[in-house]
Amino acid sequence: MTLTTETPTPKPAEARPNAARGALRGSLQQLLAFASLIVIVIFFSIASPHFFTTANIISIFTAATVTGTLALGTTFVIITGGIDLSIGTGMILCGVMAGVFLTYWGWPLWAGVLGAVLFGALIGVVNGFNVAVLKIPPFIATLGMMLIAAGLALVISGTKPIYFKETPDFQSIMNLSIIPGVRFPLGVAVFIVLIVLSALLLSKTIVGRYTFSIGSNEAATALSGVNVVKWKIIIYTISGLFVGIAGVLSASRLSSAQPTGGMGLELEAIAAVVIGGTSLQGGKGSIVGTVIGALIMAVLTNGLRIISVPQEWQSVAVGLVILIAVYLDMLRRRSA
Amino acid sequence: MTLTTETPTPKPAEARPNAARGALRGSLQQLLAFASLIVIVIFFSIASPHFFTTANIISIFTAATVTGTLALGTTFVIITGGIDLSIGTGMILCGVMAGVFLTYWGWPLWAGVLGAVLFGALIGVVNGFNVAVLKIPPFIATLGMMLIAAGLALVISGTKPIYFKETPDFQSIMNLSIIPGVRFPLGVAVFIVLIVLSALLLSKTIVGRYTFSIGSNEAATALSGVNVVKWKIIIYTISGLFVGIAGVLSASRLSSAQPTGGMGLELEAIAAVVIGGTSLQGGKGSIVGTVIGALIMAVLTNGLRIISVPQEWQSVAVGLVILIAVYLDMLRRRSA
Amino acid sequence: MSAPLLEVVGASKSFPGVKALDDVHLDLRAGEVLALVGENGAGKSTLMKLLSGVYTPDEGEFFLSGEQLAITGPKQAQELGISIIHQEFNLMPDLTIAQNIFIGREPRSGGVFLSERSLNRKTRELFDRLGLALDPSEVVGGLTVAKQQMVEIAKALSYNARVLIMDEPTAALNDAEVDTLFDLIRRFTTPTTGVIYISHRMHELRQISDRITVLRDGRYVGTVETATTPTSEVISLMVGREIVSEQRQSDESAPRETVLAVEGLSTKSLLKDVSFELRKGEILGFAGLMGAGRTEVARAIVGADRSESGTITLHGRPVVINNPAEAAKLGIGYLSEDRKQLGVLLERNVRENVVLASLSEYIGALGFVKDKKIERTAREYVTALRIKTPSTSQLVKNLSGGNQQKVVIAKWLAKDCDVLIFDEPTRGIDVGAKDEIYALLNQLAAGGKAIIMISSELPEVLRLSHRVAVMCEGRLTAVLENADATQENIMDYATRFSAYGTVK
Amino acid sequence: GCSSGGSTGSTDAAAGGDTPYVAIVSKGFQHQFWQAVKQGAEQAADEFGVEITFEGPDTEADVDQQIQMLQTALDKQPAAVGFAALDSQAAGPLLQQAQDAGIPVVAFDSGVDSDIPVTTAATDNKAAAAEAAKQMAEAIGGEGKVALVVHDQTSVTGVDRRDGFVEYMEENEPGIEIVDIQYGGGDQAKSADLAKAIIAANPDLKGIYGSNEGSAIGVVQAVKELGLQPGQLTVVGFDSGKAQIDAIKDGLMLGAITQNPVGIGYETVKAAVAAIDGEELPKSIDTGYFWYTADNIDDPEIAAVLYE
Ligand SMILES: Nc1ncnc2c1ncn2[C@@H]1O[C@H](COP(=O)(O)OP(=O)(O)OP(=O)(O)O)[C@@H](O)[C@H]1O
Ligand SMILES: Nc1ncnc2c1ncn2[C@@H]1O[C@H](COP(=O)(O)OP(=O)(O)OP(=O)(O)O)[C@@H](O)[C@H]1O
Ligand SMILES: [Mg+2]
Ligand SMILES: [Mg+2]
């Protein structure tokens, strides 16, 4: 005997999401952010002949690489219902550590890069520990880490930029042109690989499953026998790994480890994630969305500069686009 | 079997927390933050003879006034479970508006000040509208507003500071010494009045009750016939009023409306609120806590400078204190 | 006889200021269904949480087949073979049914990647075994409460448990679904397994249980054989007094004025042309199967959901209601069925919850609230509804489910509305309290209020309603006078439409 | 001409109209100093008939943001670029790219550590800071404790203005002790709060040096809030702006160093135009600095380089 033979069978009027609809809705959501992106691109292409050129498109991707990498990692954290404010200054600290390993300590290139990335993971472990074990709310745990990382970057570097004198090749990581003739930088290729990896991680692996599960209902996930503490630490560590990679990419791009800055980058990355349809309440989100969000931010910044909008108006424009993009997303969700 | 007719009377084992205990618990929570504050004050008093002097204590209060005012207003928003990232740059914009009203448009002092404060309320209304009516998540709605306000401050001022040439008295609002001999500035007195007002508002009025209700369970509050949309707009407007007041105080202190800065101040204010025991999940919080939180931040910054800790270490120290203070608060709550 | 399957000896558990369990004993024999009953707050859920590793006991020993257990956590309890369906849902709304059921036990392909296909296949196998018709890839958040409950049950059964604990599994189910559930339980109980079954529905105990253990005020009262003990005796063991047996609502023929008239109410998702009138002083019961649209009618009336068309006339005047605040202002109160999500402020105290809907009546000059008056009102309702709480400043989350429900009722009583819509007002409430709530509803109706009462329990509908409205698939299929209504004809009207909305 | 700092007209020009387009990427745009540079650049743009855009990062810590701006500027294929590097090394690959594309680069404000720029229009910040130190030493009679409130810990200007001051004192004034160096990010309120802390910790402090407009005004603010008598504490500053000018006139501040920001902007565009026309340029253009006090503040030569 089945449940539904007793009750009236589902009828068309019973507009409830089913699997097919769910999938469609998922892609619609990305479609909407994607549509925003297309609209913005078309607008700038009409407004300036310098916008839609190979060189400028590569510039946009290059600009999106560092923030985008941060956004990829923090997507995991946000889907758990957390937040990571330490990614901006954490990235700066990882860049400084790359400088320390390579220039001060003379490690070989691969070791220094690996070391910096793992240092990012370490920041993530500490964040994860503070959030999962000490139960400090993510906003505060990572706000504290944001300040600590900013301070440590200055302390460790001696408040001076570190140059990669010993390993001149370091700058190739971001800048090496891998397609002769078109200036397609290696860093952008790295970013694309990271996108694919994180998409797989989020949608096809157990980490991804628990990321969604924790964000959806943490208590229930724990009651189901999942070691939520362990997995949360792992998820923050993943975010930290991306912070480390972003630190290396950014230092490589600047051919130097700058000990300052990074503040505000976390908000940019979070904005990219949310524009891409990931909910700050947790439980919902996608990598594709985050990539589109990061591209919207990068295109907007670049395009406004290309069409020479006075700089003071640029921040107004970005603010408005964030509001409109997320509002449209809300509208769609409610009508769906 | 016989039918027993006794009604279940409360038994002695049922010694459950009563009103008095609840109140005690509330004050214990503040006690803990207060204890942290005392420990920090004692530490610095021992470390430097210059710390615990009348002049320096007044300096600390002066430094706490602007951030503290922002923190008071944002306490309401945070208790509803929201967040307001626009308070920092919003404050800058309100200062600029004071300059526009008083210097460019030649309004009388009272009108210009009122205008700037109401302009802050207007920012709050827009935030409230975006959050409550358009249902944009508070983090994003106010992040957008943060960027818009930063841009508008530059646009409106023409990227120049505005000086209060027409109304030299404007600077008295913050700087006038109201107790002869000890240089107790009027601004600090204003701050103290704001503390009392906001404490009354939060604990004794209908706005305060609904602030807690909405933060506790918004859907249930709405179904109970509370016009949640209206009250949320009101609550964001209250935060906006405090932003306006902070803008006036800050411009008055500098005798000029500076069109830049303000970014990062929102995180400082939010940190003060959270250190004071208000939960970012909403539903819990107090003004006393926020004031203690703001004082902890101000004492820490001042004290570290007084004992000449190298500046790069200061941000590490503040980060650590935030983590420790909130961790201790968590501990206490769990054991309670 | 050999050792019982599961034995609890001398279990005690205190919360700050509350002794929830005091030296409780319990034994579950292999192959039986043991019912656990007691008033709201008697400690049933707490005892089960000790068994499932959610709480650690202050005192007490547990034995499984004679072997002493040390239960350290939920996962370990599951591994020991103790599976539980909690009173509150524990599902991840953003995941699919299959993902929910196998959370923590995902099948993997090649060691790294998850295989959605084998996950769905395993789930379908489970459903086939259990006789459930659910789509494993559906997202749980979009399911009805009843279907979510079935997912919970399927999840608990998917562990090869020896002891299955069910904490009020039928609170959200209708009769047909309850039958399905009982069928599952009977299939589950083999000579090596046992079920502990908690419910406030007395007639269910007779259908499913072998023995009944009674708790009162955190203490063990006794265990009786179901077959040889009359229900009235179980009830008096539970509440320590006699409950008047069921009686039908006497029909009053005097014509009364219409308070609320609903004409042609339709919504995008479900409702089709719903029209009815509600009269002063009457209780209009709404019956129907799960998903028939009763809740949706209520939500559309108070403006919690948008309606596509339809007019609402209140006291003869047409009104437009856009949100619950406007409804409340017009004197229409809605008491929702989902207590935890939509009813109470769990983190606030009893007092604040009681006056939430009527707070504007407690405002003095300058917008200050009158705390003393609030306290007086709150205490009044705590006494009147016999809400079991040490004081009005107790946080609602620390009350038992039934007492939370009473707090929600108190909230609407304090508001003094002309029209009250009670959606499943007795869900999760013990027999004694139910009786009190029935009396209250009658008293309110007698006092001139117009009441809509949505209930999935037919006996309750029949007992309380002056008239019974029956819904099926978003349509109103009948409005019956109490005298004409029987369980049989209500069920008939509730299944009036076959598939795709055609009339039978 | 494009005088309003980047009207959309410049794109058309850059697209191949006959007016050459010069993209200027500075170290900032919000502060008065940069606005004055921009003003000078616009003056020259009008005079020489070129289109310009002027932009800079939000703070002098945002090296990355500046690099993005330079990249975008190059993508617009300008006739020349004016560039004030926050970090020369960081800009290396882009400068190379500019050179490869045949776009001349004019460095301004501080030197770019590279052969690529055709010339550099700048103030010697270290020498200017040393001048401030010299004036301070004279005012306090070569003896006592002094402190610094610096706007930035890592940027070239911040470091040069700090080191120029400190090194002068160490080399020439054995009687003067530097007791504290704090960084206020150029934010007035923050600088005021930290100056107050320094004064509280060192009651016998003789002087404070503020390394840019915001820092200097912050120090003045601290003096006001503490109610110190004029002369009790010697304050020297850097840059101008109304508040600083007023403080000097009121005697709260001894004097300040001013660069010639309008001149920097003007010379940068002028040099860019020359480079576009293929003219030879000197390796560096010194735009100079001045020490001004209440006495010489109204001299035409000084008044011309101050901005309000
Ligand atoms: N976490 C807690 N903190 C404080 N008190 C609690 C807590 N959990 C339960 N209690 C109290 O313990 C007692 C027993 O509660 P329990 O939930 O076990 O009752 P129950 O028998 O399941 O009632 P119901 O039938 O209403 O579900 C109640 O008085 C309740 O208020
Ligand atoms: N917000 C919503 N989104 C999607 N479907 C909904 C929504 N609200 C209600 N429904 C669907 O509308 C139908 C009517 O549900 P409703 O709750 O009104 O039924 P009911 O008769 O009260 O039954 P019960 O409460 O016993 O489940 C259900 O199928 C439900 O899933
Ligand atoms: Mg229970
Ligand atoms: Mg219902």
Side-chain angles (χ1 to χ4, degrees):
Chain A
M1 59 163 282
T2 65
L3 182 63
T4 41
T5 46
E6 303 287 326
T7 54
T9 48
K11 62 234 166 273
E14 196 176 18
R16 265 186 271 161
N18 54 20
R21 264 186 72 124
L24 183 67
R25 198 190 274 191
S27 51
L28 246 172
Q29 166 170 334
Q30 283 141 25
L31 218 74
L32 194 107
F34 193 61
S36 309
L37 178 60
I38 297 298
V39 169
I40 297 172
V41 167
I42 290 175
F43 171 79
F44 284 123
S45 301
I46 295 171
S48 165
H50 299 298
F51 178 78
F52 206 76
T53 63
T54 317
N56 193 50
I57 288 170
I58 291 174
S59 292
I60 291 172
F61 272 92
T62 313
T65 293
V66 170
T67 324
T69 302
L70 293 177
L72 289 179
T74 209
T75 302
F76 287 81
V77 169
I78 292 178
I79 292 176
T80 66
I83 202 156
D84 191 344
L85 298 178
S86 69
I87 52 178
T89 62
M91 175 197 97
I92 293 293
L93 178 55
C94 290
V96 166
M97 290 316 294
V100 168
F101 296 147
L102 292 171
T103 305
Y104 291 179
W105 296 357
W107 290 10
L109 186 59
W110 68 268
V113 169
L114 190 68
V117 172
L118 291 182
F119 194 86
L122 180 69
I123 297 177
V125 171
V126 175
N127 279 334
F129 179 84
N130 288 341
V131 169
V133 179
L134 303 188
K135 314 267 186 238
I136 302 177
F139 193 96
I140 292 303
T142 59
L143 176 65
M145 180 56 84
M146 170 189 183
L147 294 170
I148 293 171
L152 285 184
L154 286 168
V155 170
I156 293 172
S157 67
T159 74
K160 280 188 300 290
I162 306 176
Y163 299 102
F164 298 93
K165 289 180 279 222
E166 314 295 320
T167 45
D169 273 358
F170 180 73
Q171 62 116 354
S172 311
I173 297 170
M174 185 71 197
N175 296 322
L176 186 74
S177 188
I178 53 170
I179 305 179
V182 285
R183 240 175 12 86
F184 188 86
L186 179 56
V188 174
V190 171
F191 179 42
I192 291 169
V193 171
L194 290 176
I195 292 171
V196 174
L197 283 182
S198 51
L200 282 177
L201 201 60
L202 184 61
S203 62
K204 297 271 172 238
T205 70
I206 192 116
V207 187
R209 177 62 43 80
Y210 291 158
T211 303
F212 281 106
S213 187
I214 291 171
S216 200
N217 188 342
E218 185 172 331
T221 307
L223 280 181
S224 304
V226 175
N227 189 339
V228 168
V229 169
K230 176 181 102 184
W231 287 102
K232 269 172 124 177
I233 295 178
I234 290 175
I235 291 162
Y236 277 85
T237 307
I238 291 174
S239 176
L241 274 174
F242 280 86
V243 168
I245 297 172
V248 169
L249 290 175
S250 149
S252 163
R253 175 160 195 214
L254 302 177
S255 313
S256 59
Q258 298 290 335
T260 59
M263 281 206 191
L265 217 55
E266 69 286 346
L267 294 181
E268 228 174 276
I270 293 168
V273 173
V274 177
I275 289 176
T278 295
S279 155
L280 286 170
Q281 267 71 57
K284 292 188 190 73
S286 73
I287 291 295
V288 182
T290 295
V291 173
I292 292 172
L295 285 179
I296 287 180
M297 299 284 284
V299 165
L300 210 60
T301 319
N302 173 285
L304 290 168
R305 280 180 195 149
I306 288 271
I307 66 170
S308 301
V309 167
Q311 199 166 349
E312 51 272 35
W313 282 106
Q314 290 180 12
S315 107
V316 177
V318 175
L320 282 176
V321 169
I322 291 179
L323 287 182
I324 294 169
V326 176
Y327 170 61
L328 289 179
D329 196 47
M330 291 292 125
L331 260 196
R332 181 196 49 67
R333 273 195 226 184
R334 258 184 299 170
S335 72
Chain B
M1 205 166 174
T2 56
L3 295 175
T4 45
T5 49
E6 40 151 338
T7 51
T9 46
K11 60 226 169 295
E14 209 174 14
R16 278 191 253 172
N18 52 22
R21 264 186 73 124
L24 183 69
R25 198 189 275 189
S27 52
L28 243 173
Q29 164 170 335
Q30 284 140 26
L31 217 74
L32 193 106
F34 194 61
S36 307
L37 179 59
I38 298 297
V39 168
I40 296 171
V41 167
I42 290 175
F43 171 79
F44 285 123
S45 302
I46 293 170
S48 166
H50 303 298
F51 177 78
F52 206 77
T53 64
T54 316
N56 194 48
I57 289 169
I58 292 174
S59 290
I60 290 172
F61 272 92
T62 312
T65 293
V66 171
T67 324
T69 302
L70 293 177
L72 290 179
T74 210
T75 302
F76 287 80
V77 169
I78 292 178
I79 292 176
T80 67
I83 202 155
D84 192 345
L85 298 178
S86 70
I87 52 179
T89 62
M91 175 198 98
I92 293 294
L93 179 55
C94 291
V96 167
M97 290 316 294
V100 168
F101 296 146
L102 293 170
T103 306
Y104 291 179
W105 296 357
W107 290 9
L109 186 58
W110 67 268
V113 169
L114 191 67
V117 172
L118 291 181
F119 194 87
L122 181 68
I123 296 177
V125 171
V126 175
N127 280 335
F129 180 84
N130 287 342
V131 169
V133 179
L134 303 188
K135 316 267 187 237
I136 302 177
F139 191 95
I140 292 301
T142 59
L143 175 64
M145 180 57 84
M146 168 189 187
L147 294 171
I148 293 171
L152 285 183
L154 289 167
V155 170
I156 292 171
S157 66
T159 68
K160 281 190 297 291
I162 306 177
Y163 297 98
F164 298 93
K165 289 184 273 232
E166 314 293 322
T167 45
D169 273 359
F170 180 74
Q171 61 115 355
S172 312
I173 298 171
M174 184 73 196
N175 296 321
L176 189 73
S177 186
I178 53 169
I179 304 178
V182 285
R183 309 203 57 79
F184 188 86
L186 179 55
V188 174
V190 171
F191 179 43
I192 292 169
V193 170
L194 290 175
I195 293 171
V196 174
L197 284 182
S198 51
L200 283 177
L201 202 61
L202 185 61
S203 63
K204 296 273 171 232
T205 71
I206 191 156
V207 189
R209 286 299 145 88
Y210 286 151
T211 304
F212 281 108
S213 297
I214 292 172
S216 203
N217 186 342
E218 185 172 333
T221 305
L223 277 181
S224 301
V226 177
N227 192 336
V228 167
V229 169
K230 177 181 101 183
W231 288 104
K232 268 173 123 176
I233 294 179
I234 290 176
I235 291 161
Y236 276 86
T237 306
I238 291 174
S239 175
L241 275 173
F242 280 86
V243 168
I245 297 171
V248 169
L249 290 175
S250 140
S252 164
R253 176 164 193 209
L254 305 175
S255 311
S256 62
Q258 297 292 332
T260 59
M263 279 203 195
L265 218 54
E266 69 286 347
L267 293 182
E268 229 173 276
I270 294 168
V273 174
V274 177
I275 290 176
T278 295
S279 153
L280 286 169
Q281 266 71 58
K284 291 191 193 74
S286 74
I287 291 295
V288 182
T290 294
V291 173
I292 292 171
L295 285 179
I296 288 180
M297 299 281 283
V299 165
L300 209 60
T301 320
N302 174 284
L304 290 169
R305 283 176 192 149
I306 291 265
I307 64 171
S308 296
V309 167
Q311 196 156 3
E312 49 272 33
W313 283 107
Q314 290 179 14
S315 116
V316 177
V318 174
L320 282 175
V321 169
I322 290 179
L323 287 181
I324 293 169
V326 176
Y327 171 62
L328 289 179
D329 195 47
M330 291 292 126
L331 261 196
R332 180 198 49 68
R333 274 195 223 184
R334 260 184 298 170
S335 70
Chain C
M1 217 177 119
S2 63
L5 179 59
L6 180 76
E7 193 176 9
V8 176
V9 180
S12 296
K13 175 74 186 172
S14 295
F15 296 107
V18 192
K19 185 124 195 180
L21 291 175
D22 186 3
D23 193 21
V24 168
H25 165 87
L26 179 133
D27 68 293
L28 171 70
R29 295 176 193 155
E32 77 163 348
V33 176
L34 175 71
L36 182 63
V37 298
E39 283 185 294
N40 293 129
K44 305 179 294 293
S45 297
T46 305
L47 180 58
M48 294 307 110
K49 283 178 182 169
L50 295 185
L51 283 172
S52 59
V54 177
Y55 294 148
T56 40
D58 300 340
E59 275 170 61
E61 293 175 324
F62 305 99
F63 300 91
L64 191 65
S65 307
E67 261 176 69
Q68 183 154 8
L69 295 180
I71 303 170
T72 54
K75 186 161 190 166
Q76 193 235 4
Q78 256 158 19
E79 281 159 4
L80 289 170
I82 302 173
S83 211
I84 181 166
I85 299 161
H86 288 281
Q87 188 169 8
E88 271 84 33
F89 281 145
N90 279 290
L91 294 171
M92 282 67 76
D94 298 302
L95 302 193
T96 66
I97 293 176
Q99 289 168 352
N100 262 284
I101 289 179
F102 287 100
I103 188 78
R105 301 174 290 160
E106 289 79 3
R108 299 193 214 174
S109 61
V112 183
F113 293 115
L114 297 173
S115 164
E116 209 66 9
R117 197 175 317 143
S118 70
L119 185 64
N120 285 340
R121 185 167 31 76
K122 275 179 79 173
T123 310
R124 204 162 297 118
E125 282 166 15
L126 174 71
F127 286 169
D128 288 347
R129 190 152 54 86
L130 301 179
L132 293 174
L134 291 169
D135 177 357
S137 59
E138 216 172 318
V139 175
V140 162
L143 299 177
T144 57
V145 175
K147 285 189 177 177
Q148 292 189 10
Q149 182 64 273
M150 295 322 259
V151 174
E152 284 265 29
I153 293 164
K155 182 177 168 187
L157 289 175
S158 73
Y159 294 92
N160 293 316
R162 294 169 67 193
V163 176
L164 179 62
I165 299 168
M166 298 184 153
D167 197 348
E168 299 193 41
T170 55
L173 302 189
N174 66 29
D175 293 349
E177 293 152 0
V178 170
D179 286 343
T180 313
L181 175 69
F182 286 176
D183 203 57
L184 289 178
I185 293 176
R186 284 191 198 104
R187 266 193 278 169
F188 174 81
T189 33
T190 64
T192 55
T193 60
V195 174
I196 299 176
Y197 184 89
I198 300 177
S199 179
H200 288 297
R201 298 185 180 180
M202 289 301 137
H203 60 274
E204 285 177 355
L205 305 185
R206 199 147 296 286
Q207 278 173 272
I208 193 70
S209 73
D210 301 303
R211 293 187 307 148
I212 302 173
T213 292
V214 181
L215 294 186
R216 196 199 310 165
D217 293 334
R219 275 175 240 158
Y220 177 78
V221 176
T223 302
V224 295
E225 295 286 333
T226 311
T228 58
T229 317
T231 305
S232 59
E233 193 184 318
V234 176
I235 291 174
S236 58
L237 279 175
M238 272 171 65
V239 301
R241 70 195 151 93
E242 199 182 0
I243 300 290
V244 199
S245 62
E246 311 207 336
Q247 54 184 196
R248 294 281 283 255
Q249 191 70 258
S250 65
D251 202 30
E252 290 182 48
S253 45
R256 294 164 175 276
E257 60 181 288
T258 298
V259 177
L260 177 80
V262 173
E263 258 306 309
L265 188 67
S266 299
T267 61
K268 210 162 136 193
S269 51
L270 183 68
L271 300 186
K272 292 262 152 23
D273 198 23
V274 172
S275 308
F276 65 91
E277 290 185 350
L278 177 67
R279 300 176 198 145
K280 189 174 168 157
E282 80 164 343
I283 298 175
L284 176 63
F286 266 70
L289 298 177
M290 93 169 186
R294 296 159 301 166
T295 296
E296 200 150 317
V297 167
R299 288 181 60 94
I301 290 174
V302 297
D305 290 336
R306 219 169 291 171
S307 50
E308 272 199 319
S309 59
T311 54
I312 294 170
T313 316
L314 191 66
H315 298 298
R317 250 178 316 182
V319 290
V320 179
I321 301 172
N322 292 311
N323 54 48
E326 289 177 17
K329 213 173 258 169
L330 291 167
I332 305 176
Y334 171 59
L335 190 150
S336 69
E337 63 184 335
D338 188 341
R339 181 168 62 229
K340 200 173 163 193
Q341 300 298 326
L342 305 173
V344 287
L345 312 177
L346 286 170
E347 299 285 343
R348 307 305 301 175
N349 61 30
V350 171
R351 189 167 50 217
E352 280 176 66
N353 272 277
V354 168
V355 298
L356 180 58
S358 52
L359 190 60
S360 50
E361 292 159 27
Y362 299 87
I363 301 304
L366 294 168
F368 287 107
V369 288
K370 297 178 178 162
D371 277 319
K372 281 211 191 89
K373 195 172 158 200
I374 289 176
E375 170 63 19
R376 221 177 310 131
T377 307
R379 215 176 285 159
E380 239 168 64
Y381 284 104
V382 166
T383 315
L385 304 189
R386 309 210 305 170
I387 298 171
K388 199 169 150 197
T389 175
S391 83
T392 61
S393 40
Q394 175 77 315
L395 297 189
V396 166
K397 72 168 176 191
N398 293 336
L399 300 188
S400 74
N403 282 302
Q404 290 179 4
Q405 182 71 10
K406 290 190 194 169
V407 170
V408 180
I409 294 175
K411 172 172 77 184
W412 284 110
L413 296 184
K415 168 77 186 161
D416 191 28
C417 289
D418 296 338
V419 178
L420 284 169
I421 306 175
F422 289 88
D423 197 351
E424 312 283 3
T426 61
R427 178 171 286 179
I429 286 195
D430 68 53
V431 268
K434 238 180 216 175
D435 218 55
E436 289 161 17
I437 287 169
Y438 293 160
L440 248 159
L441 289 182
N442 277 328
Q443 199 185 320
L444 287 170
K449 305 238 182 268
I451 293 171
I452 292 176
M453 190 207 53
I454 302 170
S455 171
S456 296
E457 285 182 68
L458 280 184
E460 180 172 289
V461 172
L462 287 171
R463 175 174 167 188
L464 278 181
S465 318
H466 295 98
R467 294 184 301 147
V468 181
V470 189
M471 288 195 70
C472 176
E473 295 182 25
R475 293 164 205 258
L476 200 63
T477 47
V479 180
L480 308 167
E481 291 295 328
N482 183 294
D484 309 330
T486 61
Q487 299 224 10
E488 290 70 33
N489 66 5
I490 290 177
M491 276 316 282
D492 184 37
Y493 282 114
T495 51
R496 253 296 142 95
F497 289 89
S498 60
Y500 305 110
T502 51
V503 179
K504 228 186 223 174
Chain D
C2 161
S3 56
S4 59
S7 76
T8 45
S10 58
T11 11
D12 298 335
D18 31 30
T19 338
Y21 163 57
V22 179
I24 299 174
V25 177
S26 91
K27 291 180 183 173
F29 86 104
Q30 299 178 346
H31 284 104
Q32 279 315 93
F33 180 81
W34 299 113
Q35 288 290 319
V37 173
K38 180 177 167 187
Q39 196 190 320
E42 282 165 355
Q43 243 173 47
D46 269 349
E47 197 171 308
F48 300 110
V50 293
E51 301 281 357
I52 63 160
T53 54
F54 188 100
E55 57 188 347
D58 295 333
T59 74
E60 296 197 8
D62 286 324
V63 181
D64 186 65
Q65 198 187 357
Q66 191 190 40
I67 296 302
Q68 316 264 21
M69 288 174 160
L70 183 59
Q71 175 76 66
T72 314
L74 292 178
D75 287 342
K76 288 196 268 186
Q77 296 159 21
V81 168
F83 182 55
L86 285 173
D87 185 305
S88 316
Q89 289 255 358
L94 287 181
L95 292 175
Q96 191 57 49
Q97 191 188 325
Q99 193 180 40
D100 294 348
I103 301 170
V105 177
V106 176
F108 68 96
D109 187 58
S110 56
V112 173
D113 185 16
S114 151
D115 296 334
I116 294 169
V118 292
T119 185
T120 302
T123 310
D124 186 343
N125 272 306
K126 261 188 150 168
E131 174 70 25
K134 189 175 137 218
Q135 300 289 349
M136 166 84 82
E138 259 171 44
I140 61 174
E143 215 163 10
K145 294 179 176 173
V146 297
L148 289 80
V149 174
V150 181
H151 61 282
D152 196 274
Q153 205 164 0
T154 55
S155 73
V156 180
T157 49
V159 169
D160 281 353
R161 290 180 192 179
R162 177 192 68 199
D163 292 350
F165 189 94
V166 173
E167 281 164 18
Y168 178 88
M169 290 300 190
E170 281 171 355
E171 281 163 24
N172 305 305
E173 302 290 346
I176 289 178
E177 184 196 352
I178 292 174
V179 290
D180 208 349
I181 303 174
Q182 297 271 350
Y183 305 86
D187 182 273
Q188 289 183 29
K190 210 175 152 195
S191 300
D193 289 334
L194 63 83
K196 282 163 86 176
I198 295 173
I199 295 167
N202 303 281
D204 51 349
L205 196 70
K206 282 287 183 53
I208 303 187
Y209 159 67
S211 73
N212 78 345
E213 186 186 343
S215 312
I217 302 171
V219 174
V220 170
Q221 180 67 22
V223 170
K224 274 196 218 163
E225 285 180 8
L226 293 172
L228 301 183
Q229 295 308 307
Q232 220 175 317
L233 189 74
T234 302
V235 181
V236 299
F238 216 112
D239 296 338
S240 47
K242 183 178 184 307
Q244 200 163 190
I245 292 169
D246 286 351
I248 290 172
K249 285 183 175 165
D250 295 347
L252 286 166
M253 190 184 248
L254 173 67
I257 296 286
T258 178
Q259 309 177 72
N260 182 0
V262 179
I264 293 174
Y266 184 89
E267 292 296 338
T268 303
V269 173
K270 190 178 161 196
V273 172
I276 293 167
D277 297 342
E279 289 169 24
E280 249 341 276
L281 284 161
K283 208 55 220 161
S284 71
I285 303 166
D286 187 3
T287 51
Y289 59 84
F290 303 90
W291 166 253
Y292 68 103
T293 62
D295 298 333
N296 68 351
I297 200 163
D298 294 322
D299 293 357
E301 187 199 23
I302 297 290
V305 296
L306 296 182
Y307 55 87
E308 285 228 326

